[in-house]
Amino acid sequence: MKRNGSREKEKETKKQRLLEQLGDRWLPYLTSHNTDFHELWRTKYSKFMLKEASEVSEELHQEVQQAFVNLLEHGCFFQDLVRIKGKDVLTPVSRILIGNPGYTYKYLNTRLFAVPWLTEGHEIQYINEEISAACEALNKLNSYFRDEAIVALQKYNNSQAKKLESLPVSDAEQDFPGFMKEEHISEDNRSSCSHGNQCANLESRTSYNVTLINYMDPQQMLYLKQEPYFGMGKMAVSWHHDENLVERSTVAVYNYSCKDPLVPRMKEEDLKGRDPAIWHIGLKIAWDIKTPGLSVPLYPGDCYFMLDDLNMTHQHCVLSGLQSRFSSTHRVAECSTGTLDYIFSQCQVALQNSEHKSDSGTITLKSLEGTVVKQVEKIHNEVEFEWLRQFWFQGNRYRKCSNWWHQPMMKLEDFWKEMEVMMPVPPCQGLTSGPETRVPSILE
Ligand SMILES: O=C(O)CCC(=O)C(=O)O
Ligand SMILES: [Fe+2]
C-alpha cells in the first residue's frame, strides 16, 4: 500500500501537469442557464439529487435556520487549522460538528469532537436553551435526511432499473456496469423490507451519525481561491472528496444562504458562466477532462444528496455567492476508531498490562514481552496524538455549547498518565521531563 505522503505527491504532480496543459484555457462547464445543463446532469451526474426548498416543510426550515442563527450568535463556529499538502492552513469556512454522543470526525488531519445531540441513555447538559434547541433541530433534520436518503436511493435505483429493462442485455451491461441491482427494491416492498440484507445495507449507508455544519460570510473573507480548472469563480471549499465516510454512504446537505444581498444582479442572458452572486455546488468527474463540469445553483432551504458512490467517482467544491451562508452536511462517518467507546476500550487493553506495586506506589508493566510493550506504546500514542492533543489544541471551543466532553477527556488524560509511567521510556525520548508537563491539562 502506498504511503499517504507519496500518494499526495503523485496527485499534486498530476494536477500541476493538467494545469500546465490547460495553459490559459478553461475546461467547459454547464450551469442552470445553459441549454444542455439538465441533460448533462441526468447523464453524468445522476447520483447528485436536489430537493428544492419548497419540498421541505416550513416548520423544519424555520427550526433549522433558527438553529444556525443561534449557533452563530453564541460564537460556536470555528475556522480549523488543517493540513493540506504538508502545509497548515486555516479554512475560510468556520465549522462545528454535532452528532452522536462520543463521536468524532476527522478531516484533513483535524479531529472534530461532536457536540452531542440528545440521545436515549445519555445525559446531556447544554450551556443554554438556545444551544439545546439548536442541537434538537439538527437532530430532527438528521432523521428527516435519513428517511429522505432511503427514498432517494430507492427512487434512483428504480429509475435505473426501468432504463435497464428497456435496453438490450448487451447495452445494459455496458451502460450500467455499477448498477446497484441488489438494492433494487420496489415501492411495494419498501415498508415490509422483506429483502432483509438489502434494507440493512441501505440503512447502514444512510444512518447519519454526525453533521458538519459550515458557515461563511464572503464579505468578511478578503481572499478566496479562484476555481482553477473551469473558471467557476470564487470557492469557499476547494475540490475534494469527503473523507472518512462509510463506503458508498450518501451525504445529505441543507443549504441556507441568508436573504438576497442588496447587490444588482446580472440578467441570465448577460452571464457568461455561473452567477457569482449565488452560491453553487460545483461537481466534476475525478481525473476526467472530457466531461464538462456542473455548477448547480443553491437557493435558501434547498437540500441536496450525493448518493451511493458519487463521492468516490466525483469531486465537489463550494462556489461562493455574495451572502453569508450555512450548510449542514450529514454524514455516515466511518467511526471504527473514532468514538469514545473505542478509545476507552483501547485504554482498557493497555492498562491490563499495568501493575500497581503497593509497597513502592509505582506502576509497571506486567509483561516486558516485545509485542506487549509495543501495543501499549501504540495505544499510548493514539490517546496522546489522536485525542488529547487534538482536543487540547482546539482550546475551549467545545465549552461554548456543553461541557459534555470534559469529563471523558479528563479520564483519558488519567489513562494517558498511567501509560506514561508504566512505559520504560529512556529519558532522552520524552518530549519534556515528565508526564505533568507533557500534555497540558485540559482543565487549564
Ligand atoms: O457546504 C456544502 O454544500 C458542502 C460542504 C462540503 O463539501 C464539505 O463540508 O465537505
Ligand atoms: Fe464535501
Side-chain angles (χ1 to χ4, degrees):
M1 208 167 73
K2 281 202 178 153
R3 308 247 330 250
N4 265 350
S6 76
R7 211 179 300 134
E8 278 292 312
K9 256 193 204 142
E10 226 172 76
K11 266 207 267 178
E12 188 52 24
T13 318
K14 234 169 144 181
K15 183 180 140 191
Q16 287 309 330
R17 213 177 298 142
L18 186 64
L19 284 170
E20 271 165 33
Q21 265 175 21
L22 279 179
D24 51 8
R25 287 167 302 146
W26 295 121
L27 291 170
Y29 77 95
L30 298 183
T31 189
S32 49
H33 55 81
N34 296 123
T35 326
D36 295 331
F37 172 70
H38 286 102
E39 180 61 12
L40 178 69
W41 183 344
R42 198 180 57 77
T43 52
K44 300 291 181 184
Y45 298 91
S46 59
K47 289 182 184 174
F48 178 83
M49 202 170 269
L50 185 74
K51 195 170 182 66
E52 287 183 11
S54 59
E55 297 173 66
V56 179
S57 82
E58 198 45 47
E59 187 191 336
L60 189 57
H61 279 308
Q62 278 188 5
E63 285 180 34
V64 171
Q65 292 171 15
Q66 188 60 51
F68 290 149
V69 173
N70 285 350
L71 291 169
L72 184 67
E73 278 177 356
H74 285 92
C76 301
F77 288 95
F78 292 88
Q79 289 174 279
D80 291 315
L81 192 65
V82 295
R83 217 164 164 76
I84 304 177
K85 290 175 222 147
K87 282 195 204 122
D88 291 325
V89 284
L90 206 56
T91 57
V93 166
S94 303
R95 300 187 151 113
I96 179 176
L97 186 75
I98 301 184
N100 289 357
Y103 276 57
T104 67
Y105 178 63
K106 203 170 171 190
Y107 84 105
L108 300 173
N109 289 308
T110 289
R111 182 180 298 284
L112 295 180
F113 297 76
V115 172
W117 45 42
L118 272 186
T119 305
E120 236 185 79
H122 291 263
E123 200 180 309
I124 296 156
Q125 272 158 14
Y126 297 97
I127 227 76
N128 60 40
E129 259 314 299
E130 276 101 44
I131 300 294
S132 166
C135 291
E136 197 178 327
L138 289 153
N139 195 10
K140 198 165 158 186
L141 178 64
N142 198 62
S143 306
Y144 171 74
F145 273 157
R146 187 194 46 218
D147 296 346
E148 285 301 305
I150 292 180
V151 173
L153 280 167
Q154 288 170 340
K155 228 193 225 167
Y156 176 82
N157 289 344
N158 288 333
S159 74
Q160 297 304 89
K162 273 198 192 113
K163 268 193 217 166
L164 200 59
E165 276 160 20
S166 65
L167 287 175
V169 173
S170 56
D171 288 4
E173 272 167 6
Q174 197 185 331
D175 288 3
F176 299 95
F179 176 58
M180 303 166 281
K181 232 181 200 159
E182 81 279 8
E183 283 178 357
H184 172 222
I185 301 169
S186 72
E187 300 279 323
D188 307 342
N189 279 335
R190 203 198 291 160
S191 50
S192 65
C193 235
S194 58
H195 304 55
N197 280 344
Q198 297 150 20
C199 289
N201 217 345
L202 271 185
E203 280 210 21
S204 69
R205 291 193 245 140
T206 50
S207 298
Y208 300 119
N209 43 29
V210 293
T211 172
L212 181 59
I213 305 176
N214 300 313
Y215 171 75
M216 197 189 90
D217 176 1
Q219 312 300 333
Q220 307 286 315
M221 284 293 140
L222 295 179
Y223 177 76
L224 285 177
K225 263 198 205 159
Q226 290 285 333
E227 191 290 309
Y229 305 111
F230 305 90
M232 289 174 172
K234 287 183 176 170
M235 297 186 294
V237 184
S238 307
W239 290 111
H240 66 285
H241 301 275
D242 286 347
E243 317 174 69
N244 286 325
L245 302 181
V246 163
E247 211 176 309
R248 295 180 97 111
S249 58
T250 291
V251 177
V253 180
Y254 185 96
N255 165 78
Y256 177 51
S257 38
C258 309
K259 298 304 161 218
D260 262 353
L262 298 171
V263 285
R265 295 270 304 280
M266 299 246 286
K267 285 200 209 123
E268 275 201 349
E269 55 270 29
D270 295 337
L271 281 170
K272 283 235 163 56
R274 65 109 182 168
D275 185 343
I278 301 290
W279 285 79
H280 287 66
I281 180 93
L283 291 157
K284 72 182 182 73
I285 302 179
W287 305 117
D288 172 341
I289 55 169
K290 287 197 193 88
T291 309
L294 196 74
S295 169
V296 183
L298 296 170
Y299 297 97
D302 282 353
C303 303
Y304 68 81
F305 297 87
M306 294 194 279
L307 300 178
D308 191 45
D309 61 351
L310 182 81
N311 179 52
M312 287 150 80
T313 54
H314 294 57
Q315 287 170 303
H316 58 282
C317 71
V318 183
L319 300 159
S320 179
L322 291 175
Q323 52 296 55
S324 48
R325 173 195 187 247
F326 299 90
S327 67
S328 182
T329 67
H330 298 246
R331 303 157 193 250
V332 190
E334 200 293 296
C335 268
S336 56
T337 61
T339 63
L340 261 184
D341 283 350
Y342 160 80
I343 197 64
F344 278 144
S345 71
Q346 288 291 91
C347 291
Q348 205 119 62
V349 170
L351 295 177
Q352 267 167 13
N353 290 309
S354 80
E355 190 163 44
H356 292 252
K357 293 253 173 0
S358 51
D359 47 346
S360 60
T362 55
I363 304 170
T364 55
L365 276 173
K366 270 187 202 158
S367 158
L368 283 172
E369 202 198 307
T371 50
V372 175
V373 175
K374 271 212 180 90
Q375 187 189 37
V376 175
E377 169 114 49
K378 194 168 156 263
I379 297 171
H380 182 216
N381 279 337
E382 189 176 7
V383 173
E384 178 173 335
F385 290 94
E386 290 294 331
W387 291 79
L388 297 177
R389 283 180 186 261
Q390 290 269 357
F391 189 82
W392 174 76
F393 183 74
Q394 293 172 39
N396 273 328
R397 67 159 82 172
Y398 296 102
R399 279 189 192 277
K400 290 266 182 184
C401 296
S402 157
N403 60 7
W404 191 89
W405 276 100
H406 289 81
Q407 191 269 339
M409 278 298 167
M410 271 165 53
K411 206 164 137 190
L412 265 186
E413 198 175 330
D414 287 343
F415 288 150
W416 176 88
K417 281 183 188 155
E418 193 165 337
M419 284 179 237
E420 176 80 357
V421 287
M422 79 201 243
M423 291 304 294
V425 182
C428 60
Q429 282 184 19
L431 290 181
T432 55
S433 54
E436 296 306 326
T437 50
R438 200 162 153 195
V439 171
S441 171
I442 281 147
L443 291 180
E444 274 164 14

